[in-house]
Structures are given as structure tokens and as C-alpha cells.
Amino acid sequence: MKIAVCVKQVPDSWAQKKMGASGNLDRENVDAVLNDLDEYAVEEALRIVEAHGGNEEGGPHSVTVISMGPARATDAIRKALSMGANSGILISDANLEGADALETSRILAEVIKNSQFDLVLCGTESTDARMSVVPAMIAARLDWAQLTFAGSVTVNADAQTVSISRVTEAGVDAITASFPCVISVVEKINEPRYPSFKGIMASKKKTIETKDLAAVGLSAEVHWSQVVDATERPPRAAGVKITDDGQSGPLLVNFLVEKKLI
Amino acid sequence: MSQVFILGDFSGEKATKTTTELATAAARIGEVIGIVFAPVGLGASMAATINSGPISKLIVVESNDFAAHGVAALADALSQLVSTQSPVAVLIASHALGKEIAGRVAVETLSGIITDAVDISSDLTATQLVFGGSTTVHSKISHGISIITIRPNSFEADNSPCAPEIENVALVISEKSKKATITSSEPPIKGGRPELTEANIVVSGGRGTDGNFSAVEAFADSLGAAVGASRAATDAGWYPHSHQVGQTGKTVSPQLYVACGISGAIQHRAGMQTSKTIVVVNKDPEAPIFDISDFGVVGDLFAVLPAATEGVLARKS
Ligand SMILES: Cc1cc2nc3c(=O)[nH]c(=O)nc-3n(C[C@H](O)[C@H](O)[C@H](O)COP(=O)(O)OP(=O)(O)OC[C@H]3O[C@@H](n4cnc5c(N)ncnc54)[C@H](O)[C@@H]3O)c2cc1C
Ligand SMILES: Nc1ncnc2c1ncn2[C@@H]1O[C@H](COP(=O)(O)O)[C@@H](O)[C@H]1O
């Protein structure tokens, strides 16, 4: 089985995110980390290959990490490699700055098409863009089965089929499909491992291939949407804070009445 | 006049309040055409539940492929309608299913996409609150049809009654959209309370409830509110996952959000910090949730909530 995992490097969740001059997220001045929701995808990919004998170099199973982003996104890929993935591909090109989901999915789909993957795993959402559309778009572009928002994944390597339970606000669906499939996993699916010391050392010897657009065989497309303006909203004004002395119930009710909430 | 499609949003076989909100937004832009995708035999009855909002026509498509193949089949049908009828925009509810349909339609119709809009103007400029609500962004789609997903409960719906004309359309879902098959479906468990994403008031409980949601539920019921939970509470099995608020749960933006025994981790805030008014009850004066509260009580939720519940009920009687 050849599995690809799409991971994104994002600003640290606690970082104060701001818009840059170009109308894109200012990624220069914040700490960047592997999107934590993508760690679950890396973990699930490793569990799938481990359940089938592992991903020893030269063996039948491998996990390739794919990311599109600036040069320093190799750090996010390296983290996934230190968890146990085999190799990485970074697509990095000045012309991709500010790429939206349509563009991102077009590039990722092209890279995936050029290698023979059986499964592609993704997180359900990047914590910066929060669109939750890239996995569905990749599936649509490749004409592959879409198995997204998986709370559990069962792979039958002999039959080349995958079954998932899709967990969303609309309930739980059991869904099955044959290889190749695009799968996205929710954070309830597993507990991502911490890279071991051995894993970290091993990851330094693993290859990350960096490609520009020409190497992928594409040129940059239009920007599908444009930011007209972005304004920082005033921080929430400090509210009232009282310490309960037995009277705060009525005070809370008064507050709700004043605000016309009851 | 230009036409705007809205994708009817259903809970089971009944249209939700979100459908009316989508219509209200779409009417600012052009003539509103509602799209109803239904299992064979249920088109008319499902369409009949869309009875409010400025909608002039409903296009009803019946197919059992929707239930059998989910997102891809729904997106396939919507893409076909968009390609043949060329609306200026398509508005869809911003939840997992809605966003994924929007994404696939954008790919298939070569159109731009904006997700999680909280407002939209007549010239198709969408408003989004990004980075946890700290920044307001206005954006526009520059190519193709504007595919925009709208966050439920973001603005007032025009609830005037409507009796739209019905057009039944037959479509064939292409084989490439049938590659994943749904073998069984369990709808979410519904209680008697309002839907989280539609409610005007949400009362949520966290680890501080220690598994006992009775005080949280009683306060919610006194206010006619929905009940939410932090991930700590859903992970512990104290409350169903479908009630989780936050990054990996639901995003809510009610008039009033009451956080009880919730510390205010960044992932929880991501789902509630655009609420208009935030009330906090927490024992720990240092809990980060107080940073975003309008009215905070440092105290035990098991003492504060019952007293507040009594106060609310007394005012109502
Ligand atoms: C990838 C990822 C995704 C996540 N997604 C989400 C998400 O969608 N939603 C979410 O909520 N979290 C999410 N989390 C988890 C999040 O980081 C926090 O762990 C979680 O929100 C904590 O829940 P809590 O506030 O209930 O618990 P705690 O942080 O343990 O806080 C409990 C609070 O209750 C107070 N308390 C205790 N007893 C009482 C009492 N009797 N009366 C009053 N107050 C009391 C305490 O002072 C404390 O502040 C996610 C985490 C990760 C890594
Ligand atoms: N630039 C990127 N590089 C690689 N994978 C990505 C990228 N952007 C998004 N993804 C994948 O798509 C998922 C959903 O992202 P999004 O649609 O942006 O919320 C992420 O969890 C990743 O798995």
C-alpha cells in the first residue's frame, strides 16, 4: 500500500494571527507548527501500515508526506517523518503565495496523480484557513472516492477496500469504497504518538523532495477570490467580574435583563 | 433579474431555519431559487416544508443516489443545475456537508468559493470573521459563479410566508460520483431543546460539571437555550459529541453564550468567541475564559446556576 498524507504548516494555535500587507495571513511573524489536526492523519496512516506489517524501507507499504507551503514547511514535514513516515514532498513556489483552497487542491491532486498512491489521508481542517474543503476538492479533482470526516477507518488490503464511519453534525454514516480513496480523519480517531528520540534521529536521514511549480508540471492559476479589506476588530471590552458571595445568581439575572436577553 | 441558488438545508425531511436565512441573504442579490434534493417519493413533501423566506421557485430533484452516495452525488447534481442555469451565486449552509458540497461544486464549475460568511451584500461581497473572530475580512469571488457558504444564525431571517412555484427536474448522477457508498446512517440524537447552531442562547458545560449536567440543563431550559459542551465533557462521555462546541465541534454565534466550568482553551474559543454576549461561571479566577467574558462570576456552578435559574423562572412567571 502506498499512502500519502497531506499536511499543512500553520501558525501556532495560540499565536496572534494578523493580516499582512498583501491581504494574506502574515505567516512571517508567528511560530509555525504542523497543523495539529493533520497529526491525526499521520498517525492513522502509520496505524494502517503497521496493521499490515509496517513500512520498513523497501517493503510493500510506505507513507509519503506531502505539503504545499513556504520553504520552512519542511519543519512540519520533518515532524511527520519523525513520527514514522517514510519520505516527504514539499511544493514550494513564490507564485503559490496566497494560494486558496482551489489552487491548493489543484497542485496537491497533480502531485498525487503523478505517483501511484492507494490512499490519501488528510486532516479535516487547517487551523488557520478553517475551510474543511481541500480533501473534498482533491477527491473531486482525482475522481477518487471521498471518505471524509472519518471517526474510524478500516482497510482491507487484500480486497483493496476501505470502510469508515463518517462523524458529523448530521449523524454517523458507515461508508465504503474501493482504492484509491481520499480520507479525512476527525481528531477523535486516535491519539497521535510523540516522536521518539530514535524517530527524530531517523527522520534526519529521510528525504524531503522540494519541487517548484515547473517540476510539478503546472503553472500558477488565477486567484479565485480577493480580499477587499481586513480590519482588526477591537478586542472585547473587559467585562464585569464578580466573586460569588451567594448573591451572584440574582446579579447574573439582572445583567441578562439589562442586556434584554430575557 | 439575476438568479441566486440556495441549497435547501434539511434536518431529516424538514427544512431548517438556516434555509430561510440563506433565502434572506440571497434575496439581496437576486431572484431566489431553492434547490431540494430528496429521496424518490419525498420531493413534494420535503419541498412543502420550505414555507418561509423570499423564495420564488423551488427546483426539486429526486434520486436515491443522494442517500446512497452522499456528498459527491449531491455536489454532482448541484453542479449540473449550476452549469445549465448559470445563477450568479450559490449559497449553502456552512457545516461539514455544506462546505464539502460547495468545495466540489467550485471545482466542477470552475468557480471561486468563500466559506463561513457571516454576512453578504448585494454586490456579493462576503463578510468573514477570521482568526478566532479577531479580524473582519470582506472578500469577493473574482472568477466564475460565487459559491458561498453562510454560517447559520448569523443574521435575522425574513420569515414571511412563501408559496414558491415547484419545478421537478430529473438528473442522472454520473458514475464517478458514486464511488463511495453509504451502507447505513444514524441521525443525531435529538432532545427537546433547540439546535445548537440555531439557538439564540447556548449554555455549555465543561469538566467543571464533573459529569453532572443537571444544573447546566436546568439553566438552559429556563432560558429556552440549547446545551453545549467542551471537548473534555464530550470525551468523558458526559455529553454527546454532537453537542461539542469548538474547533472540532460546532461553531456557534448566539446572542448569549454561557460557559460553565469551562477553562477557555483556544480550541473551545474557536467555536464560540463571536457570540454577542458571553457569560462565565468558573471557580478559578485565573481561567482564561474570563478574558473574553462580558459578565463573569467566580464561583461554583452548582451554587450559582440554580440561583440564577430560580431568578429567571421567577421573572418569567
Ligand atoms: C486537536 C484538538 C481539538 C480540540 N477541539 C476542541 C473543541 O472543539 N472544543 C473544545 O471544547 N475543546 C477542544 N479541544 C480541547 C481543549 O484544548 C481543552 O482541553 C478543552 O476545551 C478543555 O475543556 P474544559 O474547559 O471543560 O476543561 P478544563 O480545561 O479542565 O477546565 C475546567 C474548568 O472548570 C472549572 N471548574 C471546576 N469545577 C467547577 C465548579 N464546580 N464550578 C465552576 N467551575 C468549575 C475549572 O476552574 C476549570 O477552569 C481540542 C484539543 C485538541 C488538541
Ligand atoms: N497547503 C497544504 N498542503 C498540504 N495539505 C493541505 C494544505 N492545505 C490543506 N491541506 C490538507 O487539507 C486539510 C483541510 O484543510 P482546509 O480545507 O484548508 O481546512 C488539511 O487538514 C490538510 O490535510
Side-chain angles (χ1 to χ4, degrees):
Chain A
M1 250 179 306
K2 281 186 70 181
I3 304 185
V5 186
C6 295
V7 307
K8 188 178 185 186
Q9 190 184 45
V10 297
D12 183 17
S13 297
W14 280 105
Q16 282 290 336
K17 283 167 254 184
K18 289 191 178 5
M19 290 301 248
S22 57
N24 298 321
L25 171 60
D26 176 359
R27 295 180 190 276
E28 294 295 310
N29 298 307
V30 290
D31 288 340
V33 297
L34 169 59
N35 178 30
D36 55 9
L37 296 175
D38 296 345
E39 287 184 25
Y40 299 87
V42 175
E43 176 66 34
E44 197 60 24
L46 293 172
R47 289 188 188 193
I48 293 169
V49 289
E50 282 161 4
H52 292 88
N55 57 334
E56 290 300 306
E57 231 27 74
H61 308 305
S62 64
V63 176
T64 307
V65 180
I66 305 177
S67 188
M68 185 184 115
R72 67 167 173 166
T74 45
D75 293 347
I77 296 179
R78 192 74 65 188
K79 165 120 194 236
L81 296 181
S82 66
M83 289 171 73
N86 298 79
S87 60
I89 301 174
L90 172 68
I91 306 100
S92 199
D93 193 305
N95 289 313
L96 289 172
E97 206 181 306
D100 51 24
L102 279 157
E103 183 70 339
T104 304
S105 64
R106 187 174 69 101
I107 311 293
L108 293 174
E110 187 68 20
V111 173
I112 292 163
K113 203 160 58 185
N114 292 337
S115 307
Q116 243 99 60
F117 292 111
D118 301 300
L119 304 174
V120 171
L121 269 74
C122 294
T124 44
E125 178 176 297
S126 53
T127 54
D128 53 351
R130 301 203 61 191
M131 289 185 77
S132 287
V133 295
V134 167
M137 285 179 167
I138 294 175
R141 289 188 184 279
L142 293 170
D143 280 340
W144 287 14
Q146 175 186 329
L147 300 173
T148 44
F149 286 86
S152 68
V153 175
T154 312
V155 174
N156 183 329
D158 296 332
Q160 306 227 315
T161 57
V162 184
S163 307
I164 67 151
S165 62
R166 172 180 169 92
V167 185
T168 68
E169 62 278 306
V172 181
D173 295 333
I175 314 184
T176 62
S178 296
F179 289 5
C181 317
V182 177
I183 302 168
S184 78
V185 303
V186 304
E187 101 294 352
K188 302 244 182 243
I189 195 168
N190 58 40
E191 198 52 62
R193 66 195 67 186
Y194 286 105
S196 64
F197 179 72
K198 208 173 134 224
I200 294 169
M201 295 316 287
S203 78
K204 299 197 169 142
K205 298 199 199 76
K206 293 177 179 170
T207 358
I208 300 178
E209 189 187 351
T210 302
K211 296 181 174 200
D212 60 8
L213 269 176
V216 176
L218 295 174
S219 47
E221 250 187 12
V222 293
H223 282 277
W224 292 90
S225 56
Q226 267 168 342
V227 171
V228 180
D229 58 56
T231 33
E232 264 177 61
R233 302 210 303 164
R236 286 189 99 95
V240 184
K241 188 170 166 188
I242 59 169
T243 300
D244 184 43
D245 55 359
Q247 279 313 302
S248 52
L251 291 175
L252 172 49
V253 176
N254 287 348
F255 171 81
L256 299 179
V257 172
E258 260 168 49
K259 286 270 175 183
K260 302 199 165 52
L261 289 162
I262 41 174
Chain B
M1 189 155 89
S2 47
Q3 293 190 335
V4 182
F5 278 8
I6 62 161
L7 178 59
D9 187 59
F10 288 86
S11 168
E13 282 145 30
K14 200 170 169 299
T16 64
K17 186 177 134 193
T18 308
T19 302
T20 314
E21 291 170 1
L22 294 175
T24 307
R28 299 176 191 158
I29 303 155
E31 184 193 359
V32 184
I33 314 292
I35 311 293
V36 177
F37 293 140
V40 172
L42 290 179
S45 61
M46 281 172 66
T49 66
I50 301 184
N51 48 26
S52 65
I55 304 172
S56 59
K57 185 169 102 178
L58 293 177
I59 294 179
V60 180
V61 181
E62 290 189 348
S63 166
N64 289 335
D65 287 332
F66 300 139
H69 305 291
V71 181
L74 292 159
D76 186 307
L78 187 52
S79 299
Q80 291 188 42
L81 292 174
V82 169
S83 300
T84 51
Q85 317 225 2
S86 304
V88 291
V90 182
L91 307 189
I92 302 176
S94 222
H95 43 44
L97 177 66
K99 291 210 248 187
E100 290 198 321
I101 292 173
R104 293 186 69 109
V105 172
V107 166
E108 277 160 31
T109 64
L110 293 177
S111 300
I113 172 172
I114 291 173
T115 54
D116 282 305
V118 294
D119 206 357
I120 187 167
S121 65
S122 58
D123 70 346
L124 284 163
T125 304
T127 308
Q128 291 162 290
L129 299 177
V130 301
F131 312 151
S134 67
T135 305
T136 305
V137 172
H138 291 111
S139 43
K140 273 188 92 158
I141 283 166
S142 18
H143 298 276
I145 289 155
S146 294
I147 313 284
I148 301 177
T149 72
I150 301 210
R151 208 178 262 178
N153 220 6
S154 296
F155 47 81
E156 194 99 6
D158 169 359
N159 284 311
S160 44
C162 66
E165 165 202 342
I166 307 265
E167 183 190 344
N168 291 297
V169 172
L171 291 178
V172 177
I173 305 299
S174 65
E175 288 306 314
K176 70 178 169 61
S177 304
K178 297 188 192 173
K179 292 191 171 163
T181 301
I182 302 178
T183 53
S184 73
S185 286
E186 260 173 65
I189 313 142
K190 289 233 161 56
R193 298 193 179 86
E195 273 296 305
L196 254 184
T197 49
E198 295 182 4
N200 287 324
I201 304 181
V202 175
V203 181
S204 288
R207 197 185 319 265
T209 62
D210 204 16
N212 181 354
F213 263 67
S214 60
V216 169
E217 288 184 332
F219 189 49
D221 290 342
S222 76
L223 295 165
V227 174
S230 72
R231 180 171 167 205
T234 57
D235 272 0
W238 300 340
Y239 232 69
H241 177 226
S242 53
H243 289 253
Q244 183 174 313
V245 171
Q247 170 100 56
T248 49
K250 288 181 176 164
T251 301
V252 300
S253 182
Q255 295 299 318
L256 170 64
Y257 188 86
V258 187
C260 311
I262 293 176
S263 62
I266 197 89
Q267 294 92 347
H268 187 77
R269 290 192 196 192
M272 48 65 73
Q273 59 193 350
T274 57
S275 304
K276 315 298 176 291
T277 300
I278 296 173
V279 167
V280 167
V281 182
N282 194 306
K283 273 206 301 214
D284 174 10
E286 304 299 326
I289 188 91
F290 282 114
D291 298 347
I292 56 166
S293 84
D294 299 290
F295 189 91
V297 182
V298 180
D300 186 343
L301 69 92
F302 293 103
V304 178
L305 291 183
T309 306
E310 207 177 292
V312 172
L313 293 175
R315 273 196 65 88
K316 286 194 170 166
S317 63

